[in-house]
Amino acid sequence: MTDTDTGEWRPLDIKGFMALMGPLLRATDAGDRGTYGFQTDDRHGNHIGLVHGGVLTSLLDQAIAILAWKAADRQPTVTVQMDSRFLGVARVGDFLKIRPEIRHATRSLIFVDAEIHSGTGPVATASAIMKITSKTGRTT
């Protein structure tokens, strides 16, 4: 990792698409436990050496989903809507920090915001609506 400037990180065991992108890391420091990290490399870049927007939105969606899942007492949640905004650039090789935060929750929906920062500042933000589902995939 090139820029894990503060704290310690632990890889999360996430199957599927995130496993293909590379490990998502969770901060282990008590005050930073809600922060996730991701080390970018050549696989995540576009033709001009920047991290592809699809990688950034995938990271936002994954961090949001983890927080929603925890808030729903570990019941499955699915993304109903996610609006993303690109604020800056991340360069291949940057270490990214992703921080999700619950804005509001109801019995069946969770509203979550998230942001990604690189060592040089904000890169992207997102707002999402997550639907709590049953283990069979039915919505509540």
Side-chain angles (χ1 to χ4, degrees), residues 23-110:
L24 184 65
L25 308 171
R26 184 178 61 80
T28 59
D29 291 344
D32 243 355
R33 280 243 166 95
T35 301
Y36 299 91
F38 188 79
Q39 180 61 57
T40 64
D41 61 36
D42 288 336
R43 297 174 296 160
H44 308 112
N46 61 21
H47 68 284
I48 57 173
L50 302 177
V51 176
H52 192 282
V55 171
L56 298 173
T57 55
S58 294
L59 291 170
L60 288 163
D61 188 46
Q62 184 65 60
I64 285 169
I66 292 169
L67 183 60
W69 174 72
K70 288 178 181 178
D73 294 324
R74 303 190 188 288
Q75 294 181 74
T77 62
V78 295
T79 306
V80 175
Q81 178 181 333
M82 186 173 92
D83 299 314
S84 57
R85 293 156 299 282
F86 298 101
L87 308 173
V89 298
R91 300 195 183 286
V92 168
D94 283 354
F95 184 78
L96 305 176
K97 293 182 181 178
I98 307 101
R99 179 99 178 151
E101 185 175 301
I102 292 177
R103 184 171 12 105
H104 181 71
T106 69
R107 192 171 60 83
S108 61
L109 298 173
I110 302 171

